[in-house]
Protein backbone atom coordinates (compact mmCIF):
# COMPACT_ATOMS: atom_id res chain seq x y z
CA UNK A 1 0.00 0.00 0.00
CA UNK A 2 1.18 3.53 -0.81
CA UNK A 3 -0.25 6.86 0.19
CA UNK A 4 0.61 10.54 0.21
CA UNK A 5 1.49 11.69 3.72
CA UNK A 6 1.55 15.17 5.14
CA UNK A 7 4.92 15.91 6.72
CA UNK A 8 6.07 19.01 8.58
CA UNK A 9 9.84 19.21 8.80
CA UNK A 10 11.80 21.88 10.61
CA UNK A 11 14.08 23.79 8.22
CA UNK A 12 16.54 26.40 9.37
CA UNK A 13 19.72 27.03 11.32
CA UNK A 14 20.86 28.75 14.51
CA UNK A 15 19.59 32.10 13.20
CA UNK A 16 16.01 30.89 12.84
CA UNK A 17 13.77 28.56 10.93
CA UNK A 18 10.27 27.19 10.50
CA UNK A 19 8.21 24.03 10.13
CA UNK A 20 7.75 23.49 6.40
CA UNK A 21 4.93 21.41 4.87
CA UNK A 22 5.51 18.56 2.42
CA UNK A 23 3.29 16.03 0.68
CA UNK A 24 5.31 12.88 0.24
CA UNK A 25 4.80 9.26 -0.79
CA UNK A 26 4.85 6.56 1.87
CA UNK A 27 5.09 2.83 1.09
CA UNK A 28 4.51 -0.28 3.16
CA UNK A 29 7.25 -1.11 5.63
CA UNK A 30 8.94 2.27 5.57
CA UNK A 31 10.33 4.21 8.51
CA UNK A 32 10.47 7.95 9.07
CA UNK A 33 14.07 8.11 7.89
CA UNK A 34 13.01 6.64 4.50
CA UNK A 35 10.55 9.48 4.07
CA UNK A 36 13.16 12.07 4.99
CA UNK A 37 15.44 10.51 2.38
CA UNK A 38 12.65 10.63 -0.20
CA UNK A 39 12.17 14.32 0.56
CA UNK A 40 15.89 14.84 0.02
CA UNK A 41 15.76 12.96 -3.27
CA UNK A 42 12.66 14.59 -4.69
CA UNK A 43 11.77 17.94 -3.16
CA UNK A 44 14.36 19.23 -0.71
CA UNK A 45 17.81 18.39 -1.99
CA UNK A 46 19.49 20.54 0.64
CA UNK A 47 17.71 19.02 3.67
CA UNK A 48 20.39 18.25 6.26
CA UNK A 49 20.01 15.01 8.22
CA UNK A 50 22.52 12.85 10.07
CA UNK A 51 22.33 9.08 9.71
CA UNK A 52 24.53 6.05 9.20
CA UNK A 53 23.31 2.55 9.84
CA UNK A 54 19.54 2.64 9.35
CA UNK A 55 19.48 -0.22 11.83
CA UNK A 56 19.13 1.50 15.18
CA UNK A 57 22.73 0.84 16.10
CA UNK A 58 24.80 3.93 15.32
CA UNK A 59 22.75 6.47 17.24
CA UNK A 60 23.05 9.15 14.54
CA UNK A 61 19.48 9.74 13.40
CA UNK A 62 18.08 11.05 16.70
CA UNK A 63 15.30 13.59 16.22
CA UNK A 64 11.82 14.34 17.51
CA UNK A 65 8.84 12.85 15.74
CA UNK A 66 5.49 14.32 16.75
CA UNK A 67 7.21 15.82 19.74
CA UNK A 68 8.76 12.58 20.98
CA UNK A 69 12.50 11.98 20.98
CA UNK A 70 13.15 8.97 18.72
CA UNK A 71 15.51 7.35 16.25
CA UNK A 72 14.08 8.16 12.79
CA UNK A 73 15.29 4.82 11.43
CA UNK A 74 13.41 2.91 14.13
CA UNK A 75 10.12 4.78 13.88
CA UNK A 76 7.84 2.84 11.59
CA UNK A 77 5.39 4.77 9.45
CA UNK A 78 2.78 2.15 10.36
CA UNK A 79 2.39 3.74 13.80
CA UNK A 80 0.74 6.74 12.11
CA UNK A 81 -2.57 6.80 10.31
CA UNK A 82 -2.42 7.97 6.66
CA UNK A 83 -4.40 11.08 7.66
CA UNK A 84 -2.01 12.03 10.44
CA UNK A 85 0.43 14.91 10.01
CA UNK A 86 3.92 13.78 10.94
CA UNK A 87 6.09 16.53 12.41
CA UNK A 88 9.85 16.01 12.43
CA UNK A 89 12.16 18.40 14.27
CA UNK A 90 15.76 18.26 15.42
CA UNK A 91 16.42 17.47 19.10
CA UNK A 92 15.33 20.53 21.03
CA UNK A 93 17.86 20.41 23.87
CA UNK A 94 21.02 20.96 21.82
CA UNK A 95 22.02 23.89 19.60
CA UNK A 96 20.89 23.37 16.02
CA UNK A 97 23.40 23.29 13.19
CA UNK A 98 21.03 23.02 10.25
CA UNK A 99 17.63 21.41 9.65
CA UNK A 100 17.58 18.10 11.54
CA UNK A 101 21.24 18.21 12.58
CA UNK A 102 22.16 19.37 16.07
CA UNK A 103 25.46 20.07 17.75
CA UNK A 104 25.75 17.37 20.40
CA UNK A 105 29.18 18.40 21.73
CA UNK A 106 27.61 19.03 25.18
CA UNK A 107 27.61 15.26 25.50
CA UNK A 108 31.25 14.86 24.56
CA UNK A 109 32.23 17.48 27.12
CA UNK A 110 30.29 15.60 29.76
CA UNK A 111 31.86 12.30 28.70
CA UNK A 112 35.32 13.75 29.19
CA UNK A 113 34.46 14.90 32.70
CA UNK A 114 33.84 11.35 33.94
CA UNK A 115 37.11 9.90 35.26
CA UNK A 116 38.06 6.84 33.22
CA UNK A 117 38.31 3.24 34.41
CA UNK A 118 41.15 2.95 36.90
CA UNK A 119 43.18 -0.22 36.13
CA UNK A 120 43.73 -2.48 39.15
CA UNK A 121 47.30 -2.70 40.44
CA UNK A 122 49.30 -5.80 39.66
CA UNK A 123 47.06 -7.11 36.88
CA UNK A 124 48.33 -6.57 33.37
CA UNK A 125 45.91 -5.61 30.64
CA UNK A 126 44.74 -8.80 28.99
CA UNK A 127 44.88 -10.63 32.29
CA UNK A 128 41.66 -9.25 33.70
CA UNK A 129 39.45 -12.07 34.93
CA UNK A 130 35.89 -11.38 36.01
CA UNK A 131 32.90 -13.51 36.89
CA UNK A 132 29.91 -13.04 34.63
CA UNK A 133 27.62 -12.29 37.61
CA UNK A 134 29.96 -9.50 38.62
CA UNK A 135 30.04 -7.71 35.26
CA UNK A 136 26.44 -8.30 34.29
CA UNK A 137 25.10 -5.03 35.67
CA UNK A 138 27.74 -2.94 33.92
CA UNK A 139 27.13 -4.81 30.69
CA UNK A 140 23.54 -3.63 30.48
CA UNK A 141 24.85 -0.08 30.30
CA UNK A 142 27.34 -1.01 27.58
CA UNK A 143 24.40 -1.51 25.22
CA UNK A 144 24.23 2.28 24.94
CA UNK A 145 24.55 3.50 21.32
CA UNK A 146 25.09 7.13 22.36
CA UNK A 147 22.08 8.45 20.52
CA UNK A 148 21.68 11.04 23.30
CA UNK A 149 17.90 10.80 23.19
CA UNK A 150 17.96 10.42 26.98
CA UNK A 151 20.04 13.57 27.31
CA UNK A 152 17.63 15.31 24.95
CA UNK A 153 14.51 14.37 26.83
CA UNK A 154 15.77 14.96 30.36
CA UNK A 155 13.91 18.01 31.66
CA UNK A 156 16.84 19.03 33.87
CA UNK A 157 18.68 20.41 30.84
CA UNK A 158 15.94 20.46 28.23
CA UNK A 159 13.92 22.97 30.23
CA UNK A 160 16.81 24.67 32.03
CA UNK A 161 19.77 25.62 29.88
CA UNK A 162 21.59 26.96 32.95
CA UNK A 163 21.76 23.45 34.45
CA UNK A 164 23.96 22.22 31.62
CA UNK A 165 27.13 23.21 33.47
CA UNK A 166 26.35 21.25 36.62
CA UNK A 167 24.44 18.22 35.28
CA UNK A 168 26.06 15.37 33.38
CA UNK A 169 22.76 13.90 32.21
CA UNK A 170 21.43 10.32 32.43
CA UNK A 171 23.85 8.85 29.89
CA UNK A 172 26.93 9.94 31.83
CA UNK A 173 25.55 9.33 35.30
CA UNK A 174 24.93 5.85 33.97
CA UNK A 175 28.58 5.72 32.90
CA UNK A 176 29.57 6.52 36.49
CA UNK A 177 27.26 3.76 37.73
CA UNK A 178 28.82 1.36 35.22
CA UNK A 179 32.30 2.04 36.57
CA UNK A 180 31.18 2.06 40.20
CA UNK A 181 29.70 -1.42 39.70
CA UNK A 182 32.68 -2.65 37.70
CA UNK A 183 34.38 -5.53 39.56
CA UNK A 184 37.91 -4.39 38.71
CA UNK A 185 37.70 -0.61 38.77
CA UNK A 186 40.29 0.63 41.27
CA UNK A 187 39.03 4.21 41.65
CA UNK A 188 38.64 3.79 45.43
CA UNK A 189 42.32 2.86 45.74
CA UNK A 190 43.34 6.19 44.24
CA UNK A 191 40.95 8.09 46.48
CA UNK A 192 38.03 8.57 44.10
CA UNK A 193 34.59 7.68 45.42
CA UNK A 194 32.53 7.57 42.27
CA UNK A 195 29.10 7.62 43.94
CA UNK A 196 29.64 10.70 46.08
CA UNK A 197 31.43 12.38 43.20
CA UNK A 198 28.36 11.68 41.05
CA UNK A 199 26.42 13.76 43.52
CA UNK A 200 29.01 16.44 44.20
CA UNK A 201 30.56 16.92 40.76
CA UNK A 202 28.12 15.55 38.20
CA UNK A 203 24.74 16.72 39.46
CA UNK A 204 23.09 13.41 40.40
CA UNK A 205 20.81 15.32 42.79
CA UNK A 206 19.20 17.17 39.87
CA UNK A 207 17.65 13.96 38.65
CA UNK A 208 14.19 13.62 40.15
CA UNK A 209 13.79 10.04 38.87
CA UNK A 210 10.84 10.88 36.64
CA UNK A 211 12.09 8.26 34.17
CA UNK A 212 11.86 10.05 30.83
CA UNK A 213 15.36 8.84 29.96
CA UNK A 214 14.18 5.27 30.43
CA UNK A 215 11.05 5.92 28.37
CA UNK A 216 12.96 7.05 25.30
CA UNK A 217 16.03 4.80 25.35
CA UNK A 218 15.99 2.81 22.07
CA UNK A 219 18.17 0.15 23.68
CA UNK A 220 15.61 -0.29 26.46
CA UNK A 221 18.23 0.19 29.13
CA UNK A 222 16.57 0.62 32.52
CA UNK A 223 18.56 3.79 33.13
CA UNK A 224 16.59 5.03 36.13
CA UNK A 225 15.97 1.73 37.93
CA UNK A 226 19.34 0.12 37.32
CA UNK A 227 21.77 3.03 37.15
CA UNK A 228 20.42 6.27 38.62
CA UNK A 229 18.52 4.98 41.65
CA UNK A 230 21.31 2.53 42.62
CA UNK A 231 23.77 5.40 42.25
CA UNK A 232 21.63 7.56 44.52
CA UNK A 233 21.51 4.73 47.05
CA UNK A 234 25.28 4.35 46.86
CA UNK A 235 25.71 8.07 47.45
CA UNK A 236 23.42 7.76 50.50
CA UNK A 237 25.70 4.99 51.81
CA UNK A 238 28.63 7.35 51.61
CA UNK A 239 27.02 10.54 52.68
CA UNK A 240 23.91 10.04 54.78
CA UNK A 241 24.00 6.61 56.36
CA UNK A 242 25.73 6.83 59.74
CA UNK A 243 25.62 3.05 60.21
CA UNK A 244 27.35 2.32 56.93
CA UNK A 245 29.77 5.17 57.52
CA UNK A 246 30.66 3.81 60.95
CA UNK A 247 30.94 0.26 59.65
CA UNK A 248 33.33 1.36 56.91
CA UNK A 249 35.41 3.31 59.44
CA UNK A 250 35.77 0.28 61.65
CA UNK A 251 36.24 -2.45 59.06
CA UNK A 252 37.91 -0.35 56.38
CA UNK A 253 37.11 -2.71 53.60
CA UNK A 254 35.04 -2.64 50.51
CA UNK A 255 32.41 -5.24 49.76
CA UNK B 1 12.30 23.07 43.81
CA UNK B 2 10.56 26.40 44.00
CA UNK B 3 12.67 27.51 46.94
CA UNK B 4 15.01 29.96 45.22
CA UNK B 5 13.04 33.11 44.60
CA UNK B 6 15.88 35.57 44.07
CA UNK B 7 16.60 35.84 40.37
CA UNK B 8 20.05 34.63 39.44
CA UNK B 9 22.06 36.16 36.62
CA UNK B 10 22.17 32.82 34.83
CA UNK B 11 18.38 32.53 34.57
CA UNK B 12 17.26 33.54 31.11
CA UNK B 13 14.13 35.66 30.75
CA UNK B 14 10.92 33.67 30.75
CA UNK B 15 10.25 33.89 27.04
CA UNK B 16 13.63 32.53 25.93
CA UNK B 17 14.33 29.70 28.33
CA UNK B 18 14.23 25.92 28.04
CA UNK B 19 13.38 24.72 24.54
CA UNK B 20 13.09 28.37 23.46
CA UNK B 21 16.72 29.14 24.36
CA UNK B 22 18.48 31.03 21.53
CA UNK B 23 20.61 28.70 19.44
CA UNK B 24 18.21 25.77 19.70
CA UNK B 25 15.86 25.10 16.78
CA UNK B 26 13.44 28.02 16.74
CA UNK B 27 10.07 26.41 17.41
CA UNK B 28 7.53 28.45 19.33
CA UNK B 29 5.44 25.50 20.60
CA UNK B 30 6.45 24.33 24.07
CA UNK B 31 5.98 20.78 22.85
CA UNK B 32 4.75 19.07 19.70
CA UNK B 33 3.29 15.91 21.17
CA UNK B 34 0.05 14.82 19.57
CA UNK B 35 -0.86 11.94 21.87
CA UNK B 36 -2.80 12.28 25.10
CA UNK B 37 0.31 12.94 27.18
CA UNK B 38 -1.75 14.74 29.83
CA UNK B 39 -3.79 11.67 30.70
CA UNK B 40 -1.30 9.70 32.84
CA UNK B 41 -0.34 12.67 35.07
CA UNK B 42 -4.03 13.58 35.41
CA UNK B 43 -5.04 10.06 36.42
CA UNK B 44 -2.10 9.90 38.83
CA UNK B 45 -3.01 13.22 40.43
CA UNK B 46 -6.68 12.27 40.78
CA UNK B 47 -5.82 8.88 42.22
CA UNK B 48 -3.44 10.31 44.79
CA UNK B 49 -5.83 13.13 45.66
CA UNK B 50 -8.66 10.66 46.23
CA UNK B 51 -6.53 8.62 48.59
CA UNK B 52 -5.26 11.68 50.43
CA UNK B 53 -8.83 12.94 50.87
CA UNK B 54 -10.17 9.60 52.09
CA UNK B 55 -7.29 8.86 54.43
CA UNK B 56 -7.29 12.34 55.95
CA UNK B 57 -10.96 12.01 56.77
CA UNK B 58 -10.48 8.55 58.24
CA UNK B 59 -7.34 9.43 60.17
CA UNK B 60 -9.00 12.36 61.93
CA UNK B 61 -12.37 10.65 62.36
CA UNK B 62 -11.19 8.62 65.36
CA UNK B 63 -14.19 6.30 65.14
CA UNK B 64 -15.34 3.04 63.56
CA UNK B 65 -11.89 1.60 63.22
CA UNK B 66 -12.42 -1.56 65.20
CA UNK B 67 -14.93 -4.30 64.56
CA UNK B 68 -13.88 -7.33 66.59
CA UNK B 69 -11.72 -9.11 65.62
CA UNK B 70 -10.64 -6.70 62.90
CA UNK B 71 -8.72 -3.47 63.24
CA UNK B 72 -8.27 -0.93 60.50
CA UNK B 73 -4.69 -0.72 59.17
CA UNK B 74 -4.90 3.05 59.71
CA UNK B 75 -5.22 2.57 63.47
CA UNK B 76 -2.69 -0.16 64.16
CA UNK B 77 -0.61 -0.21 66.23
CA UNK B 78 -2.69 1.95 68.52
CA UNK B 79 -0.32 3.85 70.78
CA UNK B 80 -2.60 6.07 72.88
CA UNK B 81 -4.83 5.34 75.85
CA UNK B 82 -7.88 6.61 74.01
CA UNK B 83 -7.90 3.60 71.65
CA UNK B 84 -10.83 1.24 71.42
CA UNK B 85 -10.20 -1.95 73.43
CA UNK B 86 -8.67 -4.35 70.95
CA UNK B 87 -8.64 -7.70 72.80
CA UNK B 88 -5.03 -8.79 72.35
CA UNK B 89 -4.42 -6.56 69.36
CA UNK B 90 -1.53 -4.18 68.87
CA UNK B 91 -2.96 -1.80 71.44
CA UNK B 92 -0.12 -0.44 73.52
CA UNK B 93 -0.71 2.84 75.30
CA UNK B 94 2.90 3.95 74.95
CA UNK B 95 1.85 7.54 74.67
CA UNK B 96 -0.26 7.60 77.80
CA UNK B 97 -3.46 9.55 78.13
CA UNK B 98 -2.32 13.09 77.29
CA UNK B 99 -2.81 12.31 73.61
CA UNK B 100 -6.32 13.51 72.88
CA UNK B 101 -6.32 13.44 69.10
CA UNK B 102 -6.97 10.48 66.87
CA UNK B 103 -4.45 7.69 67.61
CA UNK B 104 -4.12 7.10 63.85
CA UNK B 105 -2.05 10.27 63.58
CA UNK B 106 0.68 8.72 65.75
CA UNK B 107 1.31 5.80 63.43
CA UNK B 108 0.33 7.08 60.02
CA UNK B 109 3.45 9.26 59.83
CA UNK B 110 5.50 6.12 59.24
CA UNK B 111 3.71 4.80 56.15
CA UNK B 112 3.22 8.39 55.04
CA UNK B 113 6.96 9.12 55.20
CA UNK B 114 7.73 5.81 53.52
CA UNK B 115 5.45 6.49 50.59
CA UNK B 116 6.25 10.18 50.35
CA UNK B 117 9.97 9.45 49.89
CA UNK B 118 9.42 6.33 47.76
CA UNK B 119 11.16 6.56 44.40
CA UNK B 120 7.97 5.63 42.56
CA UNK B 121 5.68 8.06 44.39
CA UNK B 122 8.26 10.78 43.90
CA UNK B 123 8.03 10.27 40.17
CA UNK B 124 4.23 10.19 40.43
CA UNK B 125 3.82 13.44 42.32
CA UNK B 126 6.64 15.30 40.64
CA UNK B 127 4.86 14.62 37.39
CA UNK B 128 1.24 14.70 38.54
CA UNK B 129 1.22 17.55 41.05
CA UNK B 130 4.32 19.52 40.28
CA UNK B 131 4.50 19.13 36.47
CA UNK B 132 8.22 18.66 36.71
CA UNK B 133 7.98 17.46 33.99
CA UNK B 134 4.27 16.87 33.23
CA UNK B 135 5.28 14.31 30.59
CA UNK B 136 8.42 13.51 28.62
CA UNK B 137 9.48 16.28 26.23
CA UNK B 138 6.65 18.51 27.45
CA UNK B 139 8.14 21.71 28.82
CA UNK B 140 7.65 22.24 32.54
CA UNK B 141 6.24 25.58 33.69
CA UNK B 142 8.95 26.38 36.24
CA UNK B 143 11.57 29.06 35.65
CA UNK B 144 14.15 27.43 37.87
CA UNK B 145 14.92 23.88 38.79
CA UNK B 146 17.31 22.44 41.35
CA UNK B 147 15.77 18.98 41.73
CA UNK B 148 16.82 17.08 44.80
CA UNK B 149 20.06 18.99 45.29
CA UNK B 150 19.02 21.14 48.23
CA UNK B 151 16.53 21.50 51.06
CA UNK B 152 13.82 20.40 51.33
CA UNK B 153 14.01 17.80 48.56
CA UNK B 154 17.51 16.64 49.45
CA UNK B 155 15.74 15.01 52.41
CA UNK B 156 14.37 12.40 49.99
CA UNK B 157 17.68 10.68 50.66
CA UNK B 158 16.36 9.46 54.02
CA UNK B 159 14.07 6.99 52.24
CA UNK B 160 15.95 3.94 53.49
CA UNK B 161 15.22 4.85 57.14
CA UNK B 162 11.53 4.87 56.38
CA UNK B 163 12.07 1.49 54.78
CA UNK B 164 13.59 0.20 58.02
CA UNK B 165 10.60 1.61 59.94
CA UNK B 166 8.13 0.14 57.47
CA UNK B 167 9.24 -3.36 58.39
CA UNK B 168 7.89 -3.40 61.98
CA UNK B 169 4.71 -1.69 60.78
CA UNK B 170 4.19 -4.47 58.22
CA UNK B 171 4.94 -6.97 60.98
CA UNK B 172 2.20 -5.53 63.18
CA UNK B 173 -0.32 -5.54 60.34
CA UNK B 174 0.57 -9.19 59.78
CA UNK B 175 -0.21 -9.85 63.44
CA UNK B 176 -3.55 -8.06 63.00
CA UNK B 177 -4.36 -10.24 60.01
CA UNK B 178 -3.57 -13.37 62.02
CA UNK B 179 -5.87 -12.15 64.81
CA UNK B 180 -8.60 -12.17 62.17
CA UNK B 181 -8.65 -15.95 62.64
CA UNK B 182 -10.22 -15.46 66.08
CA UNK B 183 -13.87 -14.66 66.44
CA UNK B 184 -15.23 -11.57 68.15
CA UNK B 185 -14.91 -13.28 71.56
CA UNK B 186 -11.24 -14.12 71.04
CA UNK B 187 -11.66 -17.84 70.23
CA UNK B 188 -9.42 -19.20 67.46
CA UNK B 189 -10.75 -20.99 64.41
CA UNK B 190 -12.78 -18.31 62.72
CA UNK B 191 -12.56 -16.77 59.33
CA UNK B 192 -14.69 -14.09 57.79
CA UNK B 193 -14.59 -11.88 54.74
CA UNK B 194 -12.74 -9.37 56.91
CA UNK B 195 -9.95 -11.92 57.53
CA UNK B 196 -9.56 -12.32 53.80
CA UNK B 197 -9.55 -8.55 53.27
CA UNK B 198 -6.79 -8.13 55.85
CA UNK B 199 -4.79 -11.04 54.40
CA UNK B 200 -4.89 -9.66 50.86
CA UNK B 201 -3.95 -6.25 52.16
CA UNK B 202 -0.98 -7.43 54.19
CA UNK B 203 0.29 -9.55 51.29
CA UNK B 204 0.27 -6.49 49.05
CA UNK B 205 1.86 -4.34 51.75
CA UNK B 206 4.70 -6.83 52.14
CA UNK B 207 5.18 -7.11 48.40
CA UNK B 208 5.29 -3.33 48.09
CA UNK B 209 7.67 -2.94 51.04
CA UNK B 210 10.09 -5.60 49.84
CA UNK B 211 10.04 -4.30 46.27
CA UNK B 212 11.49 -1.00 47.51
CA UNK B 213 14.57 0.29 45.69
CA UNK B 214 16.36 0.84 49.02
CA UNK B 215 15.60 -2.77 49.94
CA UNK B 216 17.08 -3.92 46.62
CA UNK B 217 20.18 -1.91 47.38
CA UNK B 218 20.50 -3.16 50.95
CA UNK B 219 19.91 -6.80 49.99
CA UNK B 220 22.73 -6.85 47.48
CA UNK B 221 22.72 -3.89 45.12
CA UNK B 222 25.43 -2.18 47.12
CA UNK B 223 27.90 -5.05 46.62
CA UNK B 224 30.76 -4.92 44.16
CA UNK B 225 31.27 -8.67 43.78
CA UNK B 226 28.12 -10.75 43.66
CA UNK B 227 30.24 -13.88 43.22
CA UNK B 228 31.58 -13.46 46.75
CA UNK B 229 28.07 -13.19 48.26
CA UNK B 230 25.89 -15.89 46.67
CA UNK B 231 23.06 -15.60 49.21
CA UNK B 232 22.75 -11.87 48.92
CA UNK B 233 22.98 -12.16 45.14
CA UNK B 234 19.94 -14.46 45.27
CA UNK B 235 18.07 -12.04 47.53
CA UNK B 236 18.96 -9.17 45.21
CA UNK B 237 17.57 -11.14 42.30
CA UNK B 238 14.30 -11.88 44.07
CA UNK B 239 13.83 -8.33 45.23
CA UNK B 240 14.65 -7.26 41.68
CA UNK B 241 11.73 -9.27 40.33
CA UNK B 242 9.37 -7.52 42.75
CA UNK B 243 11.09 -4.21 42.14
CA UNK B 244 10.26 -4.40 38.44
CA UNK B 245 6.61 -4.20 39.51
CA UNK B 246 7.10 -1.50 42.10
CA UNK B 247 4.64 0.92 40.54
CA UNK B 248 1.95 -1.74 40.29
CA UNK B 249 2.53 -2.77 43.90
CA UNK B 250 2.53 0.86 45.05
CA UNK B 251 -0.94 1.35 43.61
CA UNK B 252 -2.42 -1.99 44.53
CA UNK B 253 -1.25 -1.76 48.13
CA UNK B 254 -2.51 1.83 48.35
CA UNK B 255 -5.92 0.76 47.13
CA UNK B 256 -6.00 -2.35 49.32
CA UNK B 257 -5.14 -0.43 52.48
CA UNK B 258 -7.92 2.07 51.72
CA UNK B 259 -10.41 -0.71 51.00
CA UNK B 260 -9.44 -2.63 54.13
CA UNK B 261 -10.11 0.45 56.21
CA UNK B 262 -13.38 1.09 54.38
CA UNK B 263 -14.47 -2.49 54.98
CA UNK B 264 -13.86 -2.20 58.71
CA UNK B 265 -15.56 1.17 58.78
CA UNK B 266 -18.65 -0.32 57.16
CA UNK B 267 -18.77 -3.35 59.45
CA UNK B 268 -18.07 -1.29 62.54
CA UNK B 269 -20.67 1.35 61.73
CA UNK B 270 -23.22 -1.41 61.23
CA UNK B 271 -23.73 -0.97 57.49
CA UNK B 272 -23.55 -4.77 57.15
CA UNK B 273 -22.38 -7.86 58.99
CA UNK B 274 -19.06 -9.52 58.25
CA UNK B 275 -19.88 -12.70 56.24
CA UNK B 276 -18.44 -15.69 58.08
CA UNK B 277 -16.71 -18.58 56.29
CA UNK B 278 -16.21 -20.74 59.40
S1 LIG C 1 15.05 10.07 35.47
FE1 LIG C 1 16.51 11.67 36.02
S2 LIG C 1 18.06 11.62 34.43
FE2 LIG C 1 16.30 10.46 33.66
S3 LIG C 1 15.14 11.96 32.49
FE3 LIG C 1 14.30 11.98 34.56
S4 LIG C 1 15.40 13.58 35.68
FE4 LIG C 1 16.55 13.12 33.80
S1 LIG D 1 21.31 5.40 27.33
FE1 LIG D 1 19.85 4.87 25.71
S2 LIG D 1 18.92 6.83 25.16
FE2 LIG D 1 20.77 7.31 26.30
S3 LIG D 1 22.36 7.60 24.78
FE3 LIG D 1 22.44 5.46 25.41
S4 LIG D 1 21.14 4.35 23.97
FE4 LIG D 1 20.66 6.53 23.75
S1 LIG E 1 20.72 5.61 11.38
FE1 LIG E 1 21.88 4.56 12.86
S2 LIG E 1 20.52 4.60 14.57
FE2 LIG E 1 19.31 5.45 12.98
S1 LIG F 1 9.12 2.11 48.75
FE1 LIG F 1 9.20 2.82 46.71
S2 LIG F 1 11.31 2.90 46.48
FE2 LIG F 1 11.24 2.36 48.54
Amino acid sequence: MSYEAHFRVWRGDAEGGELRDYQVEVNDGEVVLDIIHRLQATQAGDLAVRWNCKAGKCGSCSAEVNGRPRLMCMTRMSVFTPEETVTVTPMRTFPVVRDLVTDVSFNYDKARQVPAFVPPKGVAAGEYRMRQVDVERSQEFRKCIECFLCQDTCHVVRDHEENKTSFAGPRFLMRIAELDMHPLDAAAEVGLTRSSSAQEDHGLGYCNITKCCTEVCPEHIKITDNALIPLKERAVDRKYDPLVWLGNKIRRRDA
Amino acid sequence: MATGTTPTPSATPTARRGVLTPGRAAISARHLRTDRWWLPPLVTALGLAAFIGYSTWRAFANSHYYAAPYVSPFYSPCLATNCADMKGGADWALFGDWWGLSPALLVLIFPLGFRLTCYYYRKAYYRGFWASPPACAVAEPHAKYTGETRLPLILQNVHRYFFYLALPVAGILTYDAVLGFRDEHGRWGHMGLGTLVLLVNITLIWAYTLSCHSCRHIMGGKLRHFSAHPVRYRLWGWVGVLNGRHMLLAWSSLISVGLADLYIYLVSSGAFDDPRFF
Side-chain angles (χ1 to χ4, degrees), chain A residues 134 160 206 210 212 237, chain B residues 24 127 136 140 145 160 227:
Chain A
D134 293 338
H160 306 277
Y206 282 88
T210 37
C212 288
D237 276 351
Chain B
R24 302 196 194 178
R127 283 197 190 199
C136 302
E140 56 179 49
Y145 173 86
R160 71 173 55 167
S227 55

Side-chain angles (χ1 to χ4, degrees), chain A residues 5-213:
Chain A
H6 179 207
F7 262 64
R8 285 195 306 164
V9 181
W10 193 83
R11 305 296 311 270
D13 56 24
E15 303 305 313
E18 64 186 6
L19 287 169
R20 221 170 278 169
D21 292 273
Y22 298 95
Q23 291 296 125
V24 51
E25 181 188 325
V26 172
N27 303 309
D28 257 353
E30 288 185 325
V31 294
V32 170
L33 186 60
D34 291 317
I35 313 306
I36 295 295
H37 281 160
R38 182 163 299 125
L39 281 176
Q40 248 183 353
T42 58
Q43 319 175 28
D46 60 342
L47 171 61
V49 56
R50 194 187 271 139
W51 68 285
N52 267 289
C53 67
K54 240 201 98 184
K57 281 291 168 257
C58 73
S60 309
C61 65
S62 304
E64 299 187 10
V65 183
N66 283 355
R68 305 182 78 154
R70 325 198 50 152
L71 294 178
M72 284 187 280
C73 72
M74 298 306 278
T75 307
R76 289 174 173 281
M77 283 307 296
S78 58
V79 301
F80 309 108
T81 60
E83 297 73 40
E84 212 171 331
T85 302
V86 180
T87 308
V88 186
T89 71
M91 290 190 280
R92 297 182 67 185
T93 298
F94 311 122
V96 70
V97 177
R98 199 158 72 84
D99 300 341
L100 299 178
V101 178
T102 48
D103 172 1
V104 293
S105 52
F106 161 75
N107 301 289
Y108 302 128
D109 291 340
K110 293 297 168 186
R112 274 191 291 272
Q113 288 164 17
V114 177
F117 173 78
V118 179
K121 274 221 177 61
V123 198
E127 286 177 1
Y128 293 176
R129 296 292 177 270
M130 292 165 266
R131 299 288 190 97
Q132 180 56 30
V133 286
D134 293 338
V135 278
E136 223 149 41
R137 280 180 299 178
S138 294
Q139 278 172 342
E140 180 190 6
F141 311 144
R142 301 292 299 186
K143 291 193 301 182
C144 173
I145 58 171
E146 305 234 300
C147 62
F148 304 132
L149 287 173
C150 55
Q151 305 279 95
D152 174 51
T153 200
C154 178
H155 69 121
V156 176
V157 285
R158 184 184 178 91
D159 295 334
H160 306 277
E161 178 76 19
E162 67 279 8
N163 287 342
K164 279 188 179 170
T165 40
S166 32
F167 184 61
R171 199 272 164 258
F172 299 103
L173 291 169
M174 177 173 92
R175 169 74 177 149
I176 299 175
E178 176 197 326
L179 291 170
D180 202 43
M181 294 172 186
H182 194 292
L184 290 182
D185 178 60
E189 281 78 345
V190 299
L192 168 66
T193 309
R194 293 193 187 271
S195 56
S196 30
S197 143
Q199 206 195 43
E200 286 153 12
D201 310 317
H202 304 278
L204 178 60
Y206 282 88
C207 165
N208 67 352
I209 49 150
T210 37
K211 286 200 174 175
C212 288
C213 48

Side-chain angles (χ1 to χ4, degrees), chain A residues 229 233, chain B residues 114-115 117-122 159-160 163 208-209 211-215 243 246 250:
Chain A
I229 293 176
E233 286 294 320
Chain B
F114 186 45
R115 288 187 189 242
T117 57
C118 160
Y119 287 96
Y120 167 68
Y121 283 104
R122 271 144 78 182
H159 180 60
R160 71 173 55 167
F163 166 71
Y208 167 70
T209 308
S211 69
C212 167
H213 286 276
S214 293
C215 175
N243 181 262
H246 194 54

